[in-house]
Amino acid sequence: MGNDNWPEVGEFVVCTVKNVTDFGAYVELEEFGGREGFIHISEIKAGWVKYVRDYVREGQKIVCKVLNVDPSRGHIDLSLKDVNEHQRRAKIQEWKNEQKAAKWLQFVAEETNTDEDTLQALHEKLVEEFGSAYLAFEEAAIEGEKAFKGVKVNKKYLKSIIKIAGENIKLPFVDIAGYVDLTCTLPNGVEVIKQALSAANSVDDVDGKDIRLEISYTGAPRYRIKVIAPDYKKAESVLKKSAQIAVDTIAKLGGHGTFKRHIESAKA
């Protein structure tokens, strides 16, 4: 599913290196219709860089942070040095998950004889309601039709999504969630909240193979922290740490945060 929009400043994006020069690297943004971005040599690595090719090469997949977007010029400035290892792994996993979801949606289209325009509209609806298409399939595998309560999706698509989700997603032992309310009245309040959420998404305990941590927006000022793990003890520990990091971080930056625990479901 292509995305013809522009990325937001501060967003992490998956890129393919297309051309390396003496002063930086030109890349293609995988999630934004192949839009081109540029990483200046000063944003390749902290400290002095003599040869850009010592750090990136043509054809390499990398994760960058968006520094500036100018749609009128078709220009996107990116940073490689501002992405830590945890952020890189988390973004790559998210990207891979969305590729899986795109493939599953093609299965839905084939099964329901749906044209490309209608499929694109369905994809946009799932992203709007669940935050991503992959999360929609994941919720379908966990909750079935209950996950789509209040969501206007044609019954034939819903039935197909639940079937394909069940065939492709292996459910972990436990799925829990909590909510953090984050507010900041400072002029840079939006950026402060983004920093708090980024910190909350960087819990050291998270192992990409065993534990999944996902943070999504549910409506101002509330954000949902969801943890899927092999057992309740691990899930509970990660959830509490993530929420506490969000609350502590926003407090340090001049905002306010509170945590509300909520168990969604547990499966043996």
Side-chain angles (χ1 to χ4, degrees), residues 115-177:
D115 62 71
E116 194 62 33
D117 288 343
T118 304
L119 186 64
Q120 180 64 32
L122 175 60
H123 175 263
E124 291 172 359
K125 182 66 175 178
L126 295 180
V127 172
E128 176 187 343
E129 296 290 345
F130 294 91
S132 76
Y134 182 83
L135 288 179
F137 277 96
E138 190 174 69
E139 291 290 342
I142 294 170
E143 297 286 350
E145 284 196 31
K146 289 195 297 182
F148 292 81
K149 185 178 181 181
V151 180
K152 294 181 179 180
V153 175
N154 188 294
K155 284 283 186 180
K156 70 174 182 178
Y157 301 140
L158 178 57
K159 183 178 179 181
S160 181
I161 288 170
I162 293 171
K163 173 178 173 288
I164 290 169
E167 293 171 347
N168 290 279
I169 298 178
K170 182 181 178 182
L171 295 178
F173 177 77
V174 67
D175 165 26
I176 66 174

Side-chain angles (χ1 to χ4, degrees), residues 180-201:
V180 285
D181 289 350
L182 304 176
T183 57
C184 183
T185 57
L186 296 173
N188 64 334
V190 173
E191 184 60 33
V192 167
I193 292 173
K194 284 183 179 180
Q195 288 183 47
L197 293 173
S198 177
N201 204 30

Side-chain angles (χ1 to χ4, degrees), residues 36-48:
E36 186 180 85
F38 180 69
I39 314 167
H40 189 265
I41 188 172
S42 63
E43 294 295 334
I44 294 289
K45 182 182 180 295
W48 185 65

Side-chain angles (χ1 to χ4, degrees), residues 45-268:
K45 182 182 180 295
W48 185 65
V49 173
K50 185 175 182 180
Y51 299 113
V52 177
R53 280 188 173 82
D54 287 343
Y55 304 95
V56 294
R57 63 185 184 279
E58 281 87 353
Q60 183 181 5
K61 286 280 189 299
I62 58 175
V63 174
C64 295
K65 185 177 182 179
V66 179
L67 299 179
N68 184 55
V69 178
D70 186 348
S72 65
R73 295 172 53 211
H75 193 75
I76 303 171
D77 292 315
L78 303 164
S79 174
L80 181 61
K81 72 178 183 182
D82 286 351
V83 182
N84 63 38
E85 181 59 21
H86 175 83
Q87 292 165 336
R88 186 192 70 79
R89 285 189 285 111
K91 181 59 188 180
I92 288 293
Q93 186 60 54
E94 176 191 316
W95 175 63
K96 288 181 177 178
N97 285 344
E98 287 310 296
Q99 287 186 309
K100 290 178 185 177
K103 181 175 69 175
W104 297 339
L105 278 172
Q106 288 297 331
F107 293 162
V108 171
E110 292 168 9
E111 194 172 84
T112 58
N113 195 27
T114 300
D115 62 71
E116 194 62 33
D117 288 343
T118 304
L119 186 64
Q120 180 64 32
L122 175 60
H123 175 263
E124 291 172 359
K125 182 66 175 178
L126 295 180
V127 172
E128 176 187 343
E129 296 290 345
F130 294 91
S132 76
Y134 182 83
L135 288 179
F137 277 96
E138 190 174 69
E139 291 290 342
I142 294 170
E143 297 286 350
E145 284 196 31
K146 289 195 297 182
F148 292 81
K149 185 178 181 181
V151 180
K152 294 181 179 180
V153 175
N154 188 294
K155 284 283 186 180
K156 70 174 182 178
Y157 301 140
L158 178 57
K159 183 178 179 181
S160 181
I161 288 170
I162 293 171
K163 173 178 173 288
I164 290 169
E167 293 171 347
N168 290 279
I169 298 178
K170 182 181 178 182
L171 295 178
F173 177 77
V174 67
D175 165 26
I176 66 174
Y179 296 86
V180 285
D181 289 350
L182 304 176
T183 57
C184 183
T185 57
L186 296 173
N188 64 334
V190 173
E191 184 60 33
V192 167
I193 292 173
K194 284 183 179 180
Q195 288 183 47
L197 293 173
S198 177
N201 204 30
S202 303
V203 178
D204 293 336
D205 300 52
V206 174
D207 182 337
K209 295 180 180 179
D210 298 320
I211 300 174
R212 186 176 301 132
L213 171 65
E214 296 161 354
I215 301 177
S216 58
Y217 176 71
T218 63
R222 183 155 293 174
Y223 296 84
R224 177 176 177 240
I225 303 176
K226 176 180 176 181
V227 180
I228 300 176
D231 61 74
Y232 179 82
K233 185 176 180 181
K234 286 182 180 179
E236 185 71 21
S237 174
V238 171
L239 176 60
K240 287 182 177 179
K241 286 185 179 181
S242 177
Q244 194 59 52
I245 289 172
V247 171
D248 290 346
T249 300
I250 200 164
K252 289 178 183 177
L253 296 173
H256 178 71
T258 57
F259 171 55
K260 180 180 179 182
R261 178 72 175 85
H262 173 66
I263 300 177
E264 287 193 328
S265 64
K267 295 176 174 60

